[in-house]
Amino acid sequence: MRRRNRIKVCLFLMLFLAIFSLSGSDEKLQFSAEEARFLAAHPTIRIGIDPKFVPFEFISNEGKHGGITADVLSLVAERTGLTFIYDPSLSWTQTVQKTRERSIDLLAAVGYTQARAQYMTYLEPYLQFQRAIIVQKSNTSISSFEDLKHRQVAVQRDSSHEGFLLYYPEIIMRQYDTVEEALLAVNRGEEVAFVGNEATSIYLSRTLGLTELQFVPIAEGGLQDLHMAVRSDWPQLATILQKTLDSISEEEMARILDRWIRYESRSDLAPIIRLVGIIVSILVIILGSSLFWVSRLREAVKEKDAAQKQAQQADLEKSRFLARVSHEIRTPLNGIRGMSYLLEKTSLEAAQLRYVKAISGATQTMQSIINDILEFSRLDEDRIILEHIPFTLDDVLENCISIESYLIHQKGLLFRLHQAEGVPQHLMGDPTRLSQILINLLNNAVKFTENGSIELSVEAQEMQDQACVLRFEVKDSGIGMDARQLENLFKPFVQANASIHRKYGGSGLGLSIVKALVEKMDGKLSVTSELGKGSCFTAVIPYTLDARGSEEEQSRRRSIDFSAIKALVVCSDRYLDDRIRSLFYEYKIQGESVSSPSLAAKLLESGNYFDLVVVEISDSLTFSDSLAGIMEKQAHKRPKVLALVHDDSKQKSSAFIDVVLPLPLINSVLFNALLHLFGRGEGEAQESDSSKQTAAALPLQILVVEDNATNQIIAKEILQRQGWSVHLADNGKIGYEKFLALEGVLDVVLMDLHMDVMDGYESSTLIRSKNETIPIIITSADLMETVRKRCMQIGVNDLVGKPYDPDQLIEKVAKLGIPYHQSRRSIDFERGVFSIGGDKQLYLRVLFAFTAELEQLIPSIKKAIEEQNLHTAAELAHKAKGSTGSIGALEAQKLCANLQQTLQNGRMPPEEALLTVYIELEKVLLEAKEYVSKA
């Protein structure tokens, strides 16, 4: 009986457990009344997707949502009745932005960041992933997270990895919109490393065929959690989703993960294993006899790999060494050259001036040697990128001749330029590299020629509709070379023999650079030479024709008529006389020639009239007395005089000379000189002079960020000579702080690159993040192509090399600073007129009275501040606030109000704040005066 009862109890329990298990498996999720109302009100949820976050989530080529997260959301949809919609065209960056705007309700696969936690509610993590560093396999310098310190790394924008790296400020981030872009940048060598999700990076690397990448797991922080995140104003959705995720069993999650990550195969492998066994047995027999040679081959491969890695590391170290040496040598050179320039601008005795010019010459020589070494390094590593821009051949020739003429005249050499007929002027290519080639060849000719002549010839070897091949020849009468010396001519760091190196100096790189550049431009360099008689270097280079520039020049020349001009050429050089006459024939100018000034004087005295006298001045360097006497008699009707000089630096001034041109004569230079004398050139020149004077009168405010005291002095002196104000900062951090204090008045930022505390890259990046338009000019000795590219990427406007070329520095500051200054008007004149009822005449009277008042107020405020009289200064600031506001100078009004408040609180404002007020008031005063004067 008892046994029967026990059986009944057991059957009852089994039935109960079966019913319980069945009811449990069919049980639906229980939602609160508030959650149920939410589901009824919001049946459709907008989700944001990272389109490249494989295998976790992605957008397929068909525009479908796939990956682990998509499968999880399918289960969620089944159990809640929710529908999930998405926009497959959005990038991850756009998705994050729309989430901030609450145009997206749910991010289904995100890592935690403090920034996103401000507007999203994070659910409990449901997946984990490994964070990793991705680098090239050849990169042996990065093996752990510690190796990333003080380096720049790539990271996906708005990702959890970006938030993670924010905790490590010593690591510099560069953001990319997608993981794919970042991986490609590392593969191309544009980035050292990428920090991201290991699984995603491995998947994309294989998909893109990036086989040269390796993955270094990041131990810091351990495995990373993946969450769902809901907009923070929908807490009901967060609890609904959390309940649903909790209901997903381990078996269900395992099936999803198996599908996307494990890819395990459960096929019967026995037949394959047997076949492999047979094959392996055969291979063992074959390989046994060749084991020795395999071992030897492995050793050879290891040695080769080690040697290759060592060579790559050596190349990297060489580049770093050259960049560092360049910077360290150029910095003191900048001081020497800059101080020499400033010293030349002072009053010096003749001997002192000669010494200063000798210092400048030696500095330029040293700089050219450094430039040769760096240029050779860039060519050797194939890091030279040729430009393809329109340029004028005569401009290149003029630049080369002006650079070389000083050395040529110093040695007393005859220099001739021959341009054959039909040589095209307007070309497409790299004018800088062409100048470099010709200057190197001319330098070489001058160096090895003690007496005689140097000739530069240009002719068109081939002409086609849209292209041409130009032939450049540099011929000298120097020491020449024999056959053995010609064999070693283009080898780097090699000169003809030791005695030549001792006598003439140089790096031995000039001709190697020329040859490499010519060949990079698809040209050919050749040389013929005879010992004791001279050498001839020939560069044949192809160019594309600039059809637009040529058409514009022809149109310009057709609009100019010189046929009414009658000219007298006074020249003893038959070659030069023929050159002038051929150019005059081209311009349709009537001309006569005589060989001496005395013959020219007789011709003019006999009643012959000429519009133009072209006279060669060679030995005396002064204008002929006989010609001067005739010119004085014909003061009212005298012809224009164009002087041709061999050395314009020594030419003495004369009241009768209208234009001076240096020899050799360049076609376009002569044409423009004639325009200046008889055409539109004179008016244009006057207009240009006027604009320069206007530019110089503008009170530009320049921030110079430079850690070298000598360079600070040089930059300050050069810029202040233009009437501009200079503010100095010793490093990038101080520079950024001064920028923040003076942003309202600054016009240009001059930024050094290599500084302690904070370098120029970081400081420029911070400045650009605050102000997208202020001109930033980098001043550095390290201007390699990689540096230029990086500077352009962070928003730098231009670069100036060290040592400074003062004229170039002034030109670039004016070019960028003046338009920026003029675009930021301190007075809103239209607002000012409107504020007094629209009566412009009344406004002018108010403005006139305002200028008189402000001229008194500014020095009064400064005096009260200097005397620490805070009460008086506050009253004056209050007065300035009222008057500036009444004319529409709102920024000045705001600054004066802040100054008044600070003074009334019994505190002295910071120096930068006072400076900002003074500068803004001066600017307002200048604009007001200008407006009144033009009214």
Side-chain angles (χ1 to χ4, degrees), residues 739-755:
F739 167 78
L740 292 178
L742 301 172
E743 181 181 2
V745 296
L746 287 176
D747 300 302
V748 177
V749 177
L750 285 183
M751 178 75 69
D752 186 26
L753 277 184
H754 302 289
M755 296 177 287

Side-chain angles (χ1 to χ4, degrees), residues 385-391 427-431 466 542-546:
I385 299 174
L386 295 176
E387 289 185 306
H388 190 71
I389 60 174
F391 71 95
L427 307 170
M428 297 290 293
D430 194 328
Q466 298 180 349
Y543 283 102
T544 305
L545 296 175
D546 177 18

Side-chain angles (χ1 to χ4, degrees), residues 833 836 839-853 887 931-932 935:
V833 173
I836 58 172
D839 189 337
K840 188 174 180 180
Q841 293 303 317
L842 176 60
Y843 179 71
L844 281 172
R845 292 197 295 274
V846 170
L847 206 60
F848 183 78
F850 166 79
T851 58
E853 179 188 26
I887 65 157
Y931 187 85
V932 170

Side-chain angles (χ1 to χ4, degrees), residues 529-693:
S529 185
E530 187 176 347
L531 192 63
K533 293 189 176 180
S535 305
C536 179
F537 287 84
T538 304
V540 178
I541 306 174
Y543 283 102
T544 305
L545 296 175
D546 177 18
R548 182 177 177 181
S550 180
E551 185 179 333
E552 289 176 354
E553 178 64 18
Q554 288 174 9
S555 174
R556 174 174 172 255
R557 293 212 174 191
R558 282 195 296 269
S559 67
I560 297 166
D561 185 11
F562 289 142
S563 59
I565 297 174
K566 186 177 180 182
L568 173 63
V569 179
V570 186
C571 179
S572 59
D573 185 338
R574 184 65 178 271
Y575 175 88
L576 178 59
D577 181 54
D578 290 342
R579 169 88 170 139
I580 296 170
R581 288 170 70 86
S582 67
L583 291 174
F584 278 1
Y585 178 78
E586 181 184 333
Y587 305 154
K588 299 179 181 179
I589 293 177
Q590 308 168 54
E592 291 186 36
S593 297
V594 293
S595 58
S596 68
S598 57
L599 291 174
K602 289 179 181 178
L603 196 60
L604 290 169
E605 274 186 320
S606 62
N608 292 284
Y609 178 76
F610 294 93
D611 303 288
L612 173 68
V613 174
V614 180
V615 57
E616 176 196 11
I617 299 177
S618 53
D619 299 326
S620 63
L621 300 177
T622 55
F623 194 62
S624 165
D625 291 337
S626 56
L627 276 178
I630 297 296
M631 296 294 173
E632 194 169 2
K633 290 177 183 178
Q634 300 177 350
H636 298 293
K637 296 183 179 180
R638 75 170 181 85
K640 302 282 188 180
V641 176
L642 192 157
L644 303 176
V645 299
H646 294 271
D647 187 356
D648 56 350
S649 64
K650 296 180 181 179
Q651 170 62 29
K652 296 178 182 177
S653 61
S654 170
F656 303 108
I657 297 177
D658 298 286
V659 174
V660 177
L661 295 183
L663 291 172
L665 198 57
I666 297 174
N667 188 336
S668 62
V669 176
L670 176 60
F671 187 85
N672 289 330
L674 294 172
L675 271 181
H676 176 73
L677 292 173
F678 299 102
R680 296 190 299 269
E682 190 169 356
E684 291 172 356
Q686 289 173 355
E687 185 179 343
S688 175
D689 290 342
S690 174
S691 65
K692 286 182 180 178
Q693 290 172 2

Side-chain angles (χ1 to χ4, degrees), residues 87-380:
D87 183 353
S89 67
L90 295 179
S91 67
W92 177 242
T93 303
Q94 292 169 329
T95 297
V96 173
Q97 181 58 36
K98 285 187 173 291
T99 305
R100 291 192 189 100
E101 297 166 357
R102 294 189 172 164
S103 300
I104 288 176
D105 311 316
L106 168 67
L107 297 178
V110 288
Y112 179 84
T113 67
Q114 287 185 344
R116 278 199 287 265
Q118 302 299 315
Y119 54 90
M120 303 291 287
T121 299
Y122 279 81
L123 278 60
E124 292 297 320
Y126 68 101
L127 286 172
Q128 288 187 318
F129 64 91
Q130 175 66 57
R131 183 176 283 126
I133 306 166
I134 295 85
V135 297
Q136 289 187 355
K137 289 180 179 178
S138 59
N139 188 338
T140 59
S141 63
I142 297 177
S143 59
S144 68
F145 187 67
E146 281 292 314
D147 296 330
L148 295 183
K149 289 185 177 180
H150 308 294
R151 295 192 186 221
Q152 177 177 284
V153 301
V155 67
Q156 187 184 17
R157 193 186 312 277
D158 294 322
S159 67
S160 62
H161 312 292
E162 182 182 15
F164 167 73
L165 290 178
L166 288 174
Y167 291 98
Y168 301 91
E170 61 272 29
I171 298 176
I172 304 164
M173 288 187 285
R174 180 179 289 174
Q175 294 92 344
Y176 286 79
D177 289 335
T178 66
V179 176
E180 183 175 323
E181 291 175 5
L183 290 173
L184 288 170
V186 174
N187 192 65
R188 290 192 297 264
E190 296 171 1
E191 298 290 350
V192 175
F194 166 64
V195 171
N197 185 294
E198 185 181 51
T200 304
S201 300
I202 291 173
Y203 183 95
L204 286 175
S205 297
R206 290 172 180 170
T207 304
L208 297 169
L210 308 181
T211 59
E212 295 303 313
L213 298 181
Q214 64 177 344
F215 306 84
V216 182
I218 296 177
E220 285 76 356
L223 291 174
Q224 306 303 307
D225 294 326
L226 209 58
H227 306 257
M228 286 191 182
V230 179
R231 52 190 284 184
S232 58
D233 60 336
W234 281 7
Q236 301 90 345
L237 179 59
T239 59
I240 291 167
L241 293 177
Q242 188 63 64
K243 286 180 180 179
T244 312
L245 289 176
D246 292 342
S247 74
I248 298 174
S249 66
E250 290 183 5
E251 291 78 8
E252 288 172 321
M253 186 60 76
R255 282 195 297 273
I256 293 173
L257 295 176
D258 282 340
R259 180 183 177 193
W260 294 103
I261 296 179
R262 293 194 174 89
Y263 301 99
E264 292 179 355
S265 175
R266 304 185 185 279
S267 304
D268 183 9
L269 300 178
I272 299 173
I273 293 172
R274 284 195 296 273
L275 179 60
V276 170
I278 295 169
I279 295 171
V280 168
S281 299
I282 296 171
L283 289 175
V284 168
I285 295 170
I286 296 172
L287 293 175
S289 61
S290 58
L291 186 60
F292 172 75
W293 296 108
V294 171
S295 176
R296 289 283 301 271
L297 181 60
R298 284 177 178 171
E299 290 296 325
V301 170
K302 284 182 181 178
E303 290 176 4
K304 181 184 176 183
D305 288 345
Q308 187 175 4
K309 286 182 180 179
Q310 188 175 2
Q312 289 173 345
Q313 188 65 29
D315 282 344
L316 182 61
E317 293 301 325
K318 181 183 74 173
S319 296
R320 289 175 179 170
F321 171 76
L322 286 171
R324 191 63 186 169
V325 166
S326 166
H327 182 264
E328 294 301 327
I329 295 178
R330 286 174 187 257
T331 298
L333 266 183
N334 185 52
I336 298 170
R337 185 173 182 182
M339 289 300 184
S340 300
Y341 171 84
L342 296 174
L343 196 56
E344 280 187 50
K345 300 298 180 182
T346 63
S347 55
L348 297 173
E349 296 177 2
Q352 292 172 329
L353 185 60
R354 189 168 64 252
Y355 300 152
V356 171
K357 287 187 176 180
I359 294 171
S360 298
T363 306
Q364 290 174 6
T365 301
M366 189 171 182
Q367 186 181 350
S368 68
I369 292 173
I370 295 168
N371 291 342
D372 280 351
I373 295 171
L374 292 173
E375 188 74 358
F376 177 76
S377 171
R378 287 194 286 265
L379 283 165
D380 190 41

